[in-house]
Amino acid sequence: MNKKILTLSAAILVVACSSGKKPDYVVTDFSVKNKPIWIESISKFEKKKDNENDEYKYFKSESESIDKRLCEKSAIANTNIEVAAEINTEVYNMYNGLSEVQREEILVSNDKKEETKNLVRSKLSGVELRDSYWEKRKYKAELGAANDKDVYYCYQLARVKRDTHDKIINEMINKKIKDIKDENLKESVKKVVETNADNADIDIDIK
């Protein structure tokens, strides 16, 4: 255990130096010695994956609790919620480039924000759990924490078929565009969406 603490403390020190921010805790235990790269950056993880990654989109969920078992279960339970939230964010990012007036007109006139979340949940399937990691953190007031406490922090890596991911976004985008009455606005939205989808490597088929 002492060796673990020393190893993780050294790792935390490196991160703190590189980020300029000192952590207010020390890690006293962990599931694996080397913290998985996907915890820090999903994009870096995907770039290091082999060709199998081309078929999948990866997501990360997390949780914390004083109880390790509950922490791990919560991280798993949060997976679908996190995937749905991420996809919903990606959809709204497709409209980046429109003016504020145009964005508001689309989002307010359609009033679909809650509906799009429900659509994601209804269409989301085939979420696979791929990896997990937990660590026990000892927060210390002397390091800047609000109070001394021991907490488990858990992470879960999941993936969804890229076809499924893109299909959901397609449905949500096309549903919104279909409701736009102004033809000029509709054409502007289509162009912006196509550009953003291409930049994000998302297969969009606007009808």
Side-chain angles (χ1 to χ4, degrees):
M1 181 65 73
N2 288 338
K3 187 174 181 181
K4 276 188 174 184
I5 295 174
L6 287 173
T7 301
L8 264 293
S9 295
I12 291 172
L13 181 60
V14 171
V15 173
C17 291
S18 61
S19 65
K21 182 180 179 181
K22 293 182 179 180
D24 55 1
Y25 63 87
V26 293
V27 177
T28 59
D29 200 5
F30 46 84
S31 55
V32 293
K33 181 178 178 180
N34 296 317
K35 197 170 186 176
I37 189 174
W38 54 265
I39 292 176
E40 303 302 329
S41 172
I42 286 291
S43 60
K44 287 183 180 178
F45 167 76
E46 288 183 329
K47 287 177 182 177
K48 293 191 74 172
K49 287 286 291 177
D50 55 27
N51 290 334
E52 174 196 40
N53 175 56
D54 291 338
E55 297 180 31
Y56 296 93
K57 183 78 176 175
Y58 286 81
F59 301 87
K60 174 186 69 177
S61 62
E62 51 194 84
S63 180
E64 66 175 283
S65 174
I66 59 173
D67 181 80
K68 183 167 79 72
R69 184 175 175 80
L70 180 58
C71 180
E72 292 177 304
K73 283 188 172 183
S74 294
I76 293 174
N78 289 341
T79 300
N80 276 22
I81 297 173
E82 187 61 33
V83 173
E86 286 286 335
I87 292 178
N88 202 47
T89 297
E90 287 184 85
V91 169
Y92 283 95
N93 285 343
M94 290 295 102
Y95 304 110
N96 289 341
L98 293 174
S99 69
E100 280 301 312
V101 173
Q102 290 173 320
R103 286 177 65 90
E104 285 301 312
E105 186 174 345
I106 293 170
L107 301 182
V108 174
S109 63
N110 289 335
D111 196 20
K112 305 283 191 197
K113 279 192 174 181
E114 196 57 39
E115 184 176 329
T116 55
K117 291 178 185 178
N118 293 333
L119 178 58
V120 170
R121 295 190 188 102
S122 67
K123 297 295 181 181
L124 190 58
S125 63
V127 178
E128 301 178 22
L129 302 180
R130 300 299 297 172
D131 196 8
S132 62
Y133 171 83
W134 62 261
E135 62 187 30
K136 186 176 183 181
R137 299 176 177 179
K138 179 180 285 294
Y139 286 87
K140 296 185 175 184
E142 64 188 63
L143 296 178
N147 49 59
D148 293 344
K149 64 177 181 179
D150 291 333
V151 175
Y152 285 95
Y153 215 93
C154 304
Y155 301 85
Q156 183 69 52
L157 177 69
R159 71 181 186 183
V160 175
K161 280 275 192 179
R162 225 169 249 282
D163 287 347
T164 301
H165 167 271
D166 291 359
K167 182 179 178 182
I168 292 173
I169 293 180
N170 260 288
E171 284 198 38
M172 295 167 74
I173 292 290
N174 278 296
K175 192 173 181 66
K176 190 172 291 294
I177 289 178
K178 183 180 178 181
D179 289 343
I180 299 175
K181 305 304 181 184
D182 187 315
E183 289 300 323
N184 289 329
L185 177 58
K186 182 177 290 190
E187 288 305 311
S188 295
V189 171
K190 285 182 179 180
K191 290 179 181 178
V192 166
V193 168
E194 287 171 348
T195 298
N196 288 328
D198 187 55
N199 291 336
D201 195 24
I202 296 175
D203 188 12
I204 291 288
D205 180 21
I206 300 176
K207 297 182 171 56

